[in-house]
Amino acid sequence: MPVYLDCNATTQVDQEVADLVFKLMREEYGNAGSRTHAFGASAKKYVEQARTQVAAVTDDDKSTVIFTSGATESNNIALLGLENYAKKQNKKHIITTEIEHKSVLEPIQELQKRGFEVTYLPANADGLIDAVTLKNALRDDTFLVSIMHINNETGSIQPIGEFCSALEGHDAYFHVDAAQSFGKYSEVLKNERIDLISASGHKLYAPKGIGALIQRKRGFIKVPLKPILFGGGQERSLRPGTLAVPLIAGFGLACELAVKNSPNRLENAKNLKVEVLDFLAKYDAEINGQNTSDYVVNFSIPEVNSEAAIVMFKDVVAVSNGSACTSNSYTPSHVLVSMGLNENRINGAIRMSWSHQTEAIPFIQLSEKIEQLL
Ligand code: PMP
């Protein structure tokens, strides 16, 4: 098998997490909503422990955590869930960016179809959104600002702290899609100006199909979200449905491990990044995106097409040319287009992303493959 370098698409489940998930599927498999026996009580205990573990990543109270099936669902609940509030307040305006994940862009497009007005902030050539542009875009009737923390394609870390300052004195709710940063670059997410945070388990060594929405309070009042699903009232009715206890417990443990091991993991990732950048410099690779996460590099080698490279590399390293969710369509990356990169650079863009679990990268074989492409 090739070395897996596509951790922004998904990660390998941590062994300890997998063991716990397995135990809760085979041994303690109760429904957290069952009140009549010990199986239910034990399941509930695991869920509440996980709530505390997830909340600890951003120093939140456990009551802010709503378990969802992943960041896509968290984003949908956060964005569509504010529609009713906006209508009541007679507010019409939303601000987001051109480089969001589709799970933010599409619900916002849906709101646009329902009559809301949207400002899409562009990224600069470095893949970054400017806080001054955000401040200038605010209107009296802006009720929602949704900006991602770390971009999944380029790894650019957006200046969330500056956005929080730009929003001071304005009452728009601020949602941050932190799918790529939760448990990795969590510090800035503690900023109290952020109202809603989306997180995903499978980007953090937990299984696929689990995530969380952090719904904070202003004063004593929770962000006024209305449900988009209806059912048994679980998760304060915001995400009804039988709780996925094994996945929730696994995500909780993954969060605890992330908090505990974050500095070491980051150090490993940083070292790998130095090696990758040194290697790429030999081929005059252009790096797409600045101020990037230590877990990813997006690059283009002049004259090398990414589709050809991915096929050539496939026995050596597993990489991608952007978002896994859209990787079976050949439309150019909306992120790189927003950055204003030229067509050749966009067509050549390759994303390598790793984790603390990544084995050594096979640079010698990789260079043989690149030589064949040139
Ligand atoms: N937002 C971002 C920035 C992402 O990278 C992803 C996953 N590619 C998502 C949202 C969707 O997350 P999930 O797979 O948990 O639905």
Side-chain angles (χ1 to χ4, degrees):
M1 288 293 274
V3 172
Y4 185 78
L5 292 179
D6 203 11
C7 289
N8 275 25
T10 198
T11 59
Q12 183 185 32
V13 175
D14 185 284
Q15 185 64 58
E16 237 184 289
V17 170
D19 290 346
L20 177 62
V21 172
F22 190 73
K23 183 175 104 165
L24 295 188
M25 291 196 292
R26 292 291 303 163
E27 294 167 27
E28 296 178 60
Y29 46 82
N31 183 328
S34 294
R35 291 162 185 274
T36 50
H37 47 67
F39 288 88
S42 144
K44 184 159 184 201
K45 190 192 80 196
Y46 279 107
V47 169
E48 293 316 311
Q49 181 182 335
R51 215 182 286 288
T52 303
Q53 290 163 318
V54 173
V57 173
T58 45
D59 281 353
D60 275 293
D61 187 83
K62 66 182 274 217
S63 65
T64 61
V65 176
I66 293 151
F67 287 113
T68 65
S69 63
T72 297
E73 192 176 31
S74 303
N75 289 340
N76 274 266
I77 296 172
L79 303 168
L80 298 172
L82 278 172
E83 181 181 14
N84 201 58
Y85 159 83
K87 283 186 174 152
K88 274 202 201 143
Q89 299 283 317
N90 225 355
K91 295 193 175 190
K92 263 195 158 354
H93 185 231
I94 300 168
I95 300 175
T96 188
T97 81
E98 290 177 356
I99 61 166
E100 297 302 307
H101 189 263
K102 297 286 178 188
S103 59
V104 165
L105 289 175
E106 294 201 4
I108 288 182
Q109 279 156 15
E110 177 58 29
L111 289 170
Q112 213 168 351
K113 280 189 213 143
R114 296 180 195 174
F116 291 95
E117 293 166 17
V118 184
T119 301
Y120 294 92
L121 306 176
N124 66 16
D126 291 338
L128 295 164
I129 306 293
D130 178 21
V132 176
T133 320
L134 165 62
K135 200 174 170 72
N136 291 339
L138 284 168
R139 303 189 336 203
D140 286 347
D141 67 341
T142 309
F143 67 95
L144 168 63
V145 174
S146 180
I147 307 185
M148 70 196 330
H149 185 192
I150 297 189
N151 184 270
N152 46 304
E153 294 192 29
T154 60
S156 285
I157 306 172
Q158 303 303 329
I160 295 292
E162 291 175 25
F163 300 154
C164 289
S165 306
L167 291 172
E168 270 325 312
H170 196 287
D171 64 1
Y173 286 108
F174 185 24
H175 166 249
V176 176
D177 175 358
Q180 296 289 348
S181 65
F182 196 80
K184 293 177 182 158
Y185 287 84
S186 314
E187 213 42 47
V188 75
L189 297 173
K190 296 176 183 172
N191 191 313
E192 289 175 1
R193 183 60 189 79
I194 303 172
D195 299 289
L196 296 157
I197 299 172
S198 298
S200 173
H202 74 100
K203 314 286 185 186
L204 194 63
Y205 326 109
K208 293 155 194 64
I210 185 67
L213 175 65
I214 294 181
Q215 179 195 20
R216 289 188 175 145
K217 284 181 181 166
R218 288 221 185 136
F220 294 104
I221 302 170
K222 276 196 181 293
V223 180
L225 297 178
K226 278 268 187 267
I228 57 171
L229 291 175
F230 299 87
Q234 292 91 343
E235 299 301 271
R236 290 196 312 278
S237 291
L238 267 180
R239 206 290 189 170
T242 300
L243 293 177
V245 180
L247 304 185
I248 288 172
F251 184 30
L253 178 56
C255 286
E256 184 180 316
L257 293 171
V259 170
K260 197 160 75 187
N261 302 324
S262 197
N264 289 345
R265 288 179 177 182
L266 201 58
E267 195 55 36
N268 280 346
K270 243 188 213 20
N271 293 339
L272 262 182
K273 182 149 182 174
V274 170
E275 286 181 30
V276 172
L277 290 177
D278 277 356
F279 173 77
L280 291 175
K282 289 187 224 149
Y283 300 98
D284 297 326
E286 296 164 298
I287 305 303
N288 304 319
Q290 295 300 316
N291 192 38
T292 52
S293 149
D294 284 317
Y295 291 92
V296 57
V297 68
N298 187 315
F299 62 92
S300 308
I301 298 176
E303 311 304 326
V304 172
N305 175 278
S306 65
E307 294 294 333
I310 286 165
V311 173
M312 185 66 92
F313 293 168
K314 78 178 183 347
D315 297 327
V316 179
V317 287
V319 297
S320 90
N321 52 356
S323 162
C325 323
T326 40
S327 59
N328 55 4
S329 67
Y330 285 93
T331 45
S333 148
H334 66 286
V335 175
L336 303 182
V337 168
S338 175
M339 289 162 64
L341 303 189
N342 68 44
E343 208 181 314
N344 281 343
R345 195 157 158 189
I346 294 177
N347 291 337
I350 297 169
R351 180 183 72 182
M352 281 186 181
S353 49
W354 49 86
S355 79
H356 61 284
Q357 306 185 108
T358 302
E359 312 142 50
I361 297 175
F363 288 114
I364 294 171
Q365 288 108 302
L366 200 54
S367 61
E368 284 165 9
K369 298 291 180 189
I370 295 177
E371 303 292 346
Q372 288 176 46
L373 285 163
L374 291 172

